[in-house]
Amino acid sequence: MLDLRWLDSSFAFQKIIVAFQDSKAGPAIEVRAHAFAWPEIEEKILKSGCRVVRKERCGTDAEISAWVEKEKNGILAGILKRVYWETTAGCNLACRHCRRTDVSESVCPDDLSTKESKAMIDELAAFADIDLVLSGGEPLIRKDIFEIASYAVKKGIRVGMATNGTLVDRAMAARIKAAGIAYASVSLDGAKPETHEALRGKGNFELALAGFKNLKETGLRVQFNFTVTRQNAAEVPFVHELAVSCGASSLFLFLLVPVGCGVQIAESAMLGAAEVEQWLQWAHRKNQEGPLLIKTVCAPHYYRIEAQNDGASTAGSARLLRHTGESRYPEKSRDSGFHRNDGGEHEHSRKGCLAGIRMCFVAHQGDVYPCGYLPVSCGNVKHVPLKKIWQESPLFQKLRNPSLLGGRCGACSHKRICGGCRARAYSVHQDVLQEEPYCAYQPAG
């Protein structure tokens, strides 16, 4: 069944066409979507030559009405679609750009226990249809990580894993696959050993590549995560080539946020606004060419560039699908999962910063944040239900209201799509609603 509830419409319908051109099952389709979207969805499916054999109406009338009303008032609906969970603060590496400053070499005594972890999973399964990304630290140093992952999968949650790859031999990769984990990311911060290891430690380049290969051999979808700094920016095209040659499902380019250890290297490592613009333009051009999907993370102004270059915020994504036949991995469809777009409802819904809008971050001791780079706690799952935090947190409510944005972001016509990086705004201005400091765009007026 294709799940179209949270997809950007142009991207989604192109995906339908590609999927059923390649499908052995023939031109019949089962679709899950919100009731109010059915007329447009069915019309476009029929035009593609497919027929709907079963449809599943999602969302109660009250939920749909509330969502529509918020959208009419300019508020972005807070619909939780993925949770990044820092399963432990422990890690076998000590990366120079880590968002943590207090990384432990082993699991921490205040990590959520197995029992507390399962309780959180129970709650998530009961109130949200989500992807759960197991991160760290390094999640693989938790002895119960596969018990936890399997438990979540059995509860109907789609599970991904973010790993540095260095601990993933063939046996470990097989355990990851057997636990039901559906996709993974491996961090790679250079096309050459010396570049990667300047951030992540000597000897870890080949280990990361070996871990990636071992995961791929199990049949998992695996992406590369690359944090762009001044020291490695020139290697981005070569990492792109490496990702293509390795069979990566996608390449995620992270724009450094000065938080944790990143504060210590920010002055020498952060790209300037003009340099950011240059690389985002490059990423947009490559996404037109294919074959590899590039996703920019903590760089929401990519979607302003996409809108400016394409004349519509979704046209570029649709063209990419015609090149590749790829779903949003992990952005745009239900067959993968790291950075799903909110899409599907309006072509001008938020695509950029989704913190507190479609996603949140749960720290190892249970604190809940809008994202892993925005260190403002909204509550703790040990004391307050995550559903209550998600629905009632004053900070989350503010993040869902684009009219509250200040500075250039507040004046920008692209603020609904982009939103600016709220974590970088907070790190520079100590104000989560201030303007994105590393955007070169000057709005009219």
Side-chain angles (χ1 to χ4, degrees), residues 33 99 108 111 142 148 157 172 186 192 237 240 276 280 325 330 371 398:
R99 58 179 177 74
C108 298
D111 291 344
R142 270 193 78 137
I148 288 170
I157 293 173
M172 184 66 80
V186 171
K192 300 180 293 185
H240 180 268
V276 170
L280 293 182
C371 79
K398 290 178 182 178

Side-chain angles (χ1 to χ4, degrees), residues 153 158-160 176-177 180-184 219-221 329 335-336:
V153 171
R158 192 167 180 83
V159 178
I176 292 170
K177 177 71 171 180
I181 292 170
Y183 52 88
L220 284 177
R221 297 177 66 90
Y329 177 73
D335 58 359
S336 58

Side-chain angles (χ1 to χ4, degrees), residues 376-388:
V376 181
S377 177
C378 299
N380 188 293
V381 296
K382 293 181 182 179
H383 312 300
V384 183
L386 182 54
K387 180 178 182 179
K388 183 178 178 67

Side-chain angles (χ1 to χ4, degrees), residues 8 240 249 266-267 285 288-289 305 379 395 415 424:
D8 172 279
H240 180 268
S249 57
E267 186 173 349
R285 289 195 300 271
Q288 309 310 297
E289 300 169 6
I305 288 172
L395 178 56
K415 64 184 176 184
R424 243 185 333 269

Side-chain angles (χ1 to χ4, degrees), residues 37 63 71-72 215 237 338 377 390 401-402:
E63 289 171 337
E71 288 285 325
K72 285 181 180 177
L215 288 167
F338 272 95
S377 177
W390 178 257
N401 189 347

Side-chain angles (χ1 to χ4, degrees), residues 6 20 24 37 82 86 100 114 119 158 182 229 291 300 316 335 355 396 414 418:
W6 315 113
F20 283 89
K24 296 178 181 179
R82 62 184 181 275
E86 180 189 46
R100 297 197 64 89
T114 305
R158 192 167 180 83
T229 68
D335 58 359
F396 285 170
H414 301 284
C418 167

Side-chain angles (χ1 to χ4, degrees), residues 41-60:
I41 287 175
E42 289 194 297
E43 179 185 359
K44 293 195 176 186
I45 290 175
L46 292 172
K47 286 182 179 179
S48 74
C50 302
R51 61 188 177 87
V52 177
V53 295
R54 183 165 74 91
K55 60 184 180 182
E56 182 176 323
R57 181 186 186 279
C58 300
T60 66

Side-chain angles (χ1 to χ4, degrees), residues 413-428:
S413 61
H414 301 284
K415 64 184 176 184
R416 188 173 180 84
I417 296 172
C418 167
C421 177
R422 298 299 94 216
R424 243 185 333 269
Y426 183 79
S427 71
V428 172

